């Protein structure tokens, strides 16, 4: 289809700092963004899950943030700024003439079905030679590291070593939707990684040790080894099992990968009794995912008084618990500890019930959602110090802080204990954090050193979509606007007199705006929020804010 130039909007209808979605020929859509006197045009939808970007957040330094999951793009170029966006936006030429904004585009590129484009790769690595970058782990961190390395011009070899038997997937869809076919949720096929990115992906292999002085990685207990110039440690986490009787029974499942999803999917049939140990986000997402399958019963056992209490607080935890009780038919056993799992009388390897506070809850299968441990056992003896929780301390560039090589070794994702934007160090187990770690490390290795300063963003399916940004661990106060029981609220988490995190349901794009305010150091005080300050009214989009936004 030929290129067309169309007048899409009166110039007077788009103010400085505004975004608007406009029509473009035969059902196409374009996002217009005005920064000062300059108008930019891009695809209208986020390349992650297709959210309308016009309902997101624009900043005067040229970022548009998705209203759903925090993906970020540059409105001037359409390039990816932050994960979880896997692809860039189309960027179109604009011109203001005769009082109208004209956009020049291929109409096909304005259709939602064609909303994304391949990011601009400054290098492909095809036919490269040398040792290059070796990435241990085939998850979100590894995938985004590859993307970033090539986007920023790294031309050397890249090798991904993954225990999994499939290329990097959108792991969030496992617990939220129980999708069991990796081909439906993979970000790139092995062929794409090989041909477009010059990346060698070795699936079904296990890294069993590393020699940081010789710069080699040992595979499968010494059956093979691989040299490297730069090493990215992104092995993710290993699901924990409680040290109780019955934890290893055949129908007691943990949840991490495709194989786990297949087991749960096969077990969660109509009329079956499910017991979930742990009231974590993964656990409760699985409860929501199977709630329409007409199970005979769903029981959740948690150590806290309410689910999510440590992260979201009592009031919101109680509201979400009431939702699951009323609408999902879930029965909660909170402030409880599992004593043991008991077997069937006729089969000693299959669980029949979970004993809690002396009472046996009958079950057909059990999900043990009690967190993950950093998968760092293979680093024992490497010289890198492993902390009590299994994590590894890194600096602001995500380089390891200990061991014989603190220059060319990076640790990202679930294993990394990294400096927080508001002070201190923390290890954050979230797929999106790992992705942005990978993007930052790719940039640094490519020669453009980039300290990691992204604000953590995560989301969860709990009847409505829960959004969260920031780092609110051990918060001291929660300011709640709205009603958690109606799954419609904004919660502001306060620590040391500052708002350090924000959560919401049915209040988009508040969390996207909060993530930018936290990034820029422009979050209002708790007192201002208590007195009615609305984050969406704070101007960070118009030209006169550029000095404070870009500083």
């Amino acid at each position: 289809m030929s290129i067309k130039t169309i007048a899409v909007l009166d110039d007077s209808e788009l103010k400085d700092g505004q975004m608007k979605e406009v029509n473009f020929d035969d059902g196409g859509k374009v996002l217009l963004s005005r920064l000062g006197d300059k108008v930019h045009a891009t695809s209208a939808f986020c390349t992650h899950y297709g959210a309308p970007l016009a309902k997101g957040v624009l900043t005067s330094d040229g970022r548009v943030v998705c209203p759903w999951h925090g993906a970020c793009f540059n409105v001037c170029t359409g390039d990816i700024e932050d994960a979880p966006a896997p692809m860039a936006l189309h960027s179109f030429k604009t011109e203001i003439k005769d009082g109208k904004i004209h956009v020049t585009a291929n109409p096909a590129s304005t259709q939602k079905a064609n909303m994304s484009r391949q990011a601009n790769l400054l290098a492909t690595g095809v036919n490269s030679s040398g040792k290059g970058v070796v990435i241990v782990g085939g998850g979100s961190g590894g995938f985004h590291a590859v993307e970033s390395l090539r986007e920023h011009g790294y031309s050397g070899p890249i090798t991904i070593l993954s225990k999994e038997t499939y290329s990097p997937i959108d792991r969030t869809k496992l617990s939220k939707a129980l999708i069991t076919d990796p081909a439906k949720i993979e970000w790139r096929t092995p062929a794409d990684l090989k041909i477009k990115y010059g990346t060698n992906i070795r699936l079904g292999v296990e890294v069993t040790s590393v020699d940081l002085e010789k710069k080699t990685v040992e595979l499968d207990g010494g059956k093979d080894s691989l040299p490297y110039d730069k090493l990215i440690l992104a092995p993710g986490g290993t699901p924990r099992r409680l040290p109780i009787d019955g934890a290893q029974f055949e129908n007691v499942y943990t949840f991490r990968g495709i194989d786990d999803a297949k087991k749960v999917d096969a077990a969660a049939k109509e009329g079956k009794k499910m017991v979930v140990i742990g009231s974590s986000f993964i656990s409760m997402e699985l409860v929501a995912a199977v709630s329409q399958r007409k199970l005979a019963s769903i029981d959740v056992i948690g150590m806290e008084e309410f689910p999510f209490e440590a992260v979201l607080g009592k009031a919101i935890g109680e509201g979400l618990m009431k939702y699951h009780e009323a609408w999902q038919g879930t029965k909660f056993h909170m402030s409880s500890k599992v004593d043991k799992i008991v077997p069937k009388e006729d089969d000693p390897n299959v669980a029949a019930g979970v004993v809690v506070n002396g009472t046996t809850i009958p079950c057909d299968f059990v999900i043990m959602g009690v967190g993950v441990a950093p998968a760092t056992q293979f680093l024992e003896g490497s010289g890198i110090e492993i902390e009590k929780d299994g994590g590894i301390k890194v600096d602001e560039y995500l380089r390891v802080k200990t061991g014989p090589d603190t220059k060319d070794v990076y640790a990202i994702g679930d294993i990394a204990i990294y400096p927080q934007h508001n002070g201190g160090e923390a290890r954050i187990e979230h797929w999106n954090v790992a992705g942005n770690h990978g993007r930052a490390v790719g940039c640094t290795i490519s020669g453009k050193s980039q300290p990691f300063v992204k604000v953590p963003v995560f989301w969860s399916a709990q009847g409505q979509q829960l959004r969260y940004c920031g780092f609110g661990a051990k918060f001291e106060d929660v300011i709640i606007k709205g009603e958690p029981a109606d799954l419609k609220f904004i919660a502001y988490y306060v620590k040391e007199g500052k708002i350090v995190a924000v959560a919401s349901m049915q209040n988009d794009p508040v969390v996207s705006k909060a993530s930018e305010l936290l990034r820029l150091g422009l979050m209002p005080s708790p007192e201002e929020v208590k007195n009615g300050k609305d984050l969406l009214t704070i101007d960070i989009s118009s030209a006169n804010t550029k000095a404070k936004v870009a500083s």
Side-chain angles (χ1 to χ4, degrees), residues 31-51:
L31 177 71
L32 297 180
S33 306
R34 181 165 228 138
L35 299 172
D37 58 1
K38 180 67 175 175
V39 176
H40 303 277
T42 64
S43 310
F45 304 99
C46 179
T47 64
H48 180 222
Y49 285 174

Side-chain angles (χ1 to χ4, degrees), residues 90-101:
H90 294 288
S91 181
F92 310 117
K93 181 183 176 182
T94 64
E95 183 182 12
I96 300 171
K97 185 171 62 176
D98 300 327
K100 300 280 188 180
I101 299 172

Side-chain angles (χ1 to χ4, degrees), residues 176 285 288 320 323-324 327-328 459-467 484-489 504-508:
K176 292 175 173 65
E285 285 174 0
L320 291 172
Y323 163 78
H324 283 285
W327 296 100
Q328 317 285 51
W459 58 93
S460 184
Q462 301 293 331
Q464 294 289 338
Q465 291 295 312
L466 172 75
R467 324 282 190 205
D486 296 334
L487 305 189
K488 189 172 184 178
F489 62 84
S504 77
M505 294 182 98
Q506 300 191 76
N507 275 282
D508 295 339

Side-chain angles (χ1 to χ4, degrees), residues 231-254:
L231 179 64
I232 301 175
L233 302 171
T238 303
R240 299 180 189 272
R241 285 185 184 265
L242 293 178
I244 57 173
D245 291 343
Q248 301 298 329
F249 285 159
E250 292 174 6
N251 57 340
V252 176
Y253 309 123
T254 56

